[in-house]
Amino acid sequence: MEELQIIGGSKLEGDVSISGAKNAALPILCAGLLTSETILLTNVPDLHDVSTTIKLLSQLGSVTRKHGQNEVSITSNNIENLKAPYELVKAMRASILVLGPLLTRFGEAIVSMPGGCAIGQRPVDQHIKCLSALGADIKIEHGFVIARAKKLKGTLIRPDVITVTGTENIIMAATLAEGETIIENAACEPEIVDLSNMLIKMGANIKGHGTNRIIIKGVDKLHGTSHRILPDRIEAGTFLCALAATGGNIRIKDANPYNMLATIDKIRLSGVNVKQDNGNLICSMSKRPESVDVITREYPGLATDMQAQFMALNCIARGTSIIVENIFENRYLHVQELNRLGANITINGNSATVHGVDFLSGATVKATDLRASASLVIAGLVAQGKTTIEQIYHLDRGYENMELKLQKLGANIKRATNRNDE
Ligand code: EPZ
């Protein structure tokens, strides 16, 4: 099993380039199922979840090719299989994003129920409710969502909760439905805007993407296009939290600051100086960070995907902070690992109190989920001595070459193989 070994204490200095956004790449890859023509994607992050999605699309019959590290083409002109198997869906819940495209283009989709994950139950009831409202006949049998529809019909739809992939599934399904679909209570994330922008280039008729009310007028057919995936705002935010903790001076390149204003606002409160310069963030930190309170919200609020990283920063900040996680019911698995490093965090329901300590001390810890892994990396960068992070396949799901990017910034971090548990 691979692990990361970090010797803490180095400041971060230099340039780091942000990769394409995982949470845009996954729905956009699945949108390739909506046309028989070729989609060419650039700035695709080289991640485990992207590879899993490519494998799933290939199993369905798409000709999906990687051209170099960050370029992928998809041609779905010979889809023979409409079933997404449990093995792939359990490896990556975002596989549910093939449901809308397969259903609306082929009239049928059989997708394994994703099941829960470390951070929560992650139900898909709203995906099912809203696709049923579009006229799909959906039943759950033997752990699979079985959806059929001769032709989806546009209507007014309102998910009970604001759901990112739920909104994405509805948008994709509505692009080829008959008539107009209005989604109220839609999610507004930038990744949904990026998906919608690509669908519009494919010939879809979408308005209001990025707001809570999206209007889609169905069309007969979508055609091929090319698209560059937008920068990953969560990766950029992760490097901001790392800098806040270690101190130093970094330039974050290829970021889109306008998609991460809540994070930038919060990191400035911790004491980091952030300036924008044509899509780059010029950042410096020369003192111990101040504790910052964090309340996660749907976009444009502070992203739940940034909660663990801010918690790591707060562990060594001056003062006490309160973190409230409003999106997922179990997104504190990183707390016990951070406390193993000497942090002082207590949990009470969906809130955590973090008393800043003067220093953390290195230890062996284990990654439990994607963003928890990132928080352990940040903690390891400032802990005294050596921190070993096990089970880093969680990190590889959502960060492209994290340790190489940190090495270039001067961190003492390397990937190793732990032979004991092979
Ligand atoms: C997306 O997950 C992201 N994943 C997550 O990123 C992110 O944390 C999350 O949105 C919130 O921003 C991708 O985009 C691939 P939701 P998603 O549906 O769509 C409840 C990461 O670290 N809900 O917006 O699965 C749900 O339980 C990952 O990159 C229902 O009740 O999240 C949660 O409490 C982690 N029924 C809330 O809504 C449903 O049918 C928001 O979930 C759907 C969701």
Side-chain angles (χ1 to χ4, degrees):
M1 193 90 82
E2 289 195 313
E3 61 189 31
L4 285 181
Q5 296 171 358
I6 307 171
I7 305 294
S10 307
K11 289 188 183 308
L12 299 182
E13 304 283 349
D15 286 358
V16 59
S17 288
I18 297 305
S19 303
K22 166 179 85 79
N23 290 348
L26 302 186
I28 283 172
L29 282 161
C30 295
L33 292 167
L34 289 165
T35 176
S36 59
E37 297 179 18
T38 298
I39 303 285
L40 180 60
L41 300 175
T42 55
N43 201 35
V44 180
D46 186 14
L47 302 171
H48 197 269
D49 276 7
V50 167
S51 306
T52 303
T53 305
I54 289 172
K55 204 184 295 176
L56 172 58
L57 295 175
S58 306
Q59 272 199 17
L60 297 173
S62 277
V63 177
T64 309
R65 295 254 182 288
K66 284 193 82 167
H67 310 272
Q69 196 182 355
N70 301 111
E71 195 167 297
V72 176
S73 64
I74 308 145
T75 309
S76 305
N77 60 354
N78 186 23
I79 297 293
E80 298 138 355
N81 167 26
L82 300 174
K83 184 171 182 178
Y86 176 62
E87 298 66 46
L88 286 176
V89 178
K90 88 175 165 190
M92 187 195 64
R93 338 172 9 74
S95 306
I96 194 74
L97 286 164
V98 302
L99 181 60
L102 289 177
L103 180 61
T104 199
R105 182 165 167 224
F106 301 103
E108 185 180 13
I110 302 170
V111 180
S112 167
M113 289 285 278
C117 78
I119 64 176
Q121 285 173 44
R122 313 291 296 276
V124 291
D125 58 308
Q126 297 303 311
H127 297 240
I128 292 168
K129 169 193 162 185
C130 296
L131 292 173
S132 304
L134 286 172
D137 167 40
I138 301 184
K139 49 181 186 275
I140 312 283
E141 263 175 23
H142 304 298
F144 282 87
V145 176
I146 301 169
R148 290 192 177 88
K150 248 200 198 36
K151 180 80 177 162
L152 294 177
K153 286 190 178 35
T155 184
L156 174 62
I157 285 180
R158 189 183 189 286
D160 300 337
V161 296
I162 294 179
T163 161
V164 173
T165 49
T167 301
E168 289 164 347
N169 247 334
I170 303 163
I171 292 173
M172 290 191 281
T175 56
L176 295 177
E178 204 174 286
E180 180 178 80
T181 299
I182 298 175
I183 311 172
E184 290 285 351
N185 206 28
C188 308
E189 270 68 4
E191 293 74 29
I192 293 176
V193 173
D194 205 37
L195 167 68
S196 302
N197 289 339
M198 186 185 80
L199 291 168
I200 290 167
K201 285 196 283 187
M202 292 167 68
N205 184 329
I206 303 172
K207 296 211 174 3
H209 40 299
T211 75
N212 288 123
R213 181 183 165 88
I214 304 176
I215 301 171
I216 304 112
K217 287 195 172 62
V219 296
D220 293 337
K221 202 162 149 355
L222 295 177
H223 51 74
T225 190
S226 59
H227 186 75
R228 179 179 170 79
I229 304 289
L230 91 168
D232 193 319
R233 62 194 167 99
I234 305 300
E235 184 192 16
T238 302
F239 279 102
L240 278 176
C241 288
L243 174 73
T246 63
N249 299 279
I250 63 173
R251 178 168 64 160
I252 301 178
K253 298 166 67 183
D254 314 323
N256 180 343
Y258 300 103
N259 285 341
M260 48 188 291
L261 296 176
T263 293
I264 292 173
D265 181 49
K266 192 60 72 177
I267 211 74
R268 282 175 168 153
L269 288 177
S270 77
V272 177
N273 185 302
V274 182
K275 287 196 185 64
Q276 297 175 32
D277 166 34
N278 298 324
N280 300 321
L281 295 175
I282 315 296
C283 316
S284 60
M285 182 61 158
S286 55
K287 57 187 175 37
R288 180 180 181 183
E290 299 298 327
S291 291
V292 287
D293 292 338
V294 168
I295 300 176
T296 65
R297 294 266 184 239
E298 295 89 357
Y299 191 86
L302 194 75
T304 174
D305 293 350
M306 284 301 306
Q307 179 254 106
Q309 299 90 308
F310 274 105
M311 185 180 282
L313 158 60
N314 278 327
C315 288
I316 46 89
R318 189 199 319 277
T320 295
S321 55
I322 305 287
I323 293 180
V324 181
E325 173 54 61
N326 284 315
I327 307 296
F328 291 112
E329 68 270 25
N330 190 34
R331 202 166 198 174
Y332 284 136
L333 293 175
H334 41 287
V335 168
Q336 72 260 25
E337 300 302 316
L338 290 168
N339 283 342
R340 279 181 50 72
L341 297 173
N344 180 353
I345 310 167
T346 49
I347 299 174
N348 180 5
N350 71 333
S351 73
T353 303
V354 186
H355 299 283
V357 295
D358 292 341
F359 62 89
L360 298 176
S361 56
T364 297
V365 289
K366 73 176 183 317
T368 51
D369 57 270
L370 170 54
R371 306 304 172 181
S373 325
S375 79
L376 296 177
V377 170
I378 292 169
L381 291 173
V382 295
Q384 290 178 348
K386 181 177 176 182
T387 296
T388 299
I389 303 173
E390 298 179 335
Q391 302 181 166
I392 55 159
Y393 57 87
H394 288 290
L395 189 80
D396 295 336
R397 293 190 53 178
Y399 288 95
E400 185 179 39
N401 300 324
M402 163 78 89
E403 77 275 12
L404 301 182
K405 293 187 179 185
L406 285 168
Q407 281 167 9
K408 278 200 200 126
L409 292 173
N412 185 336
I413 179 171
K414 68 179 183 176
R415 185 180 289 254
T417 302
N418 179 338
R419 300 207 181 288
N420 305 340
D421 54 3
E422 268 194 336

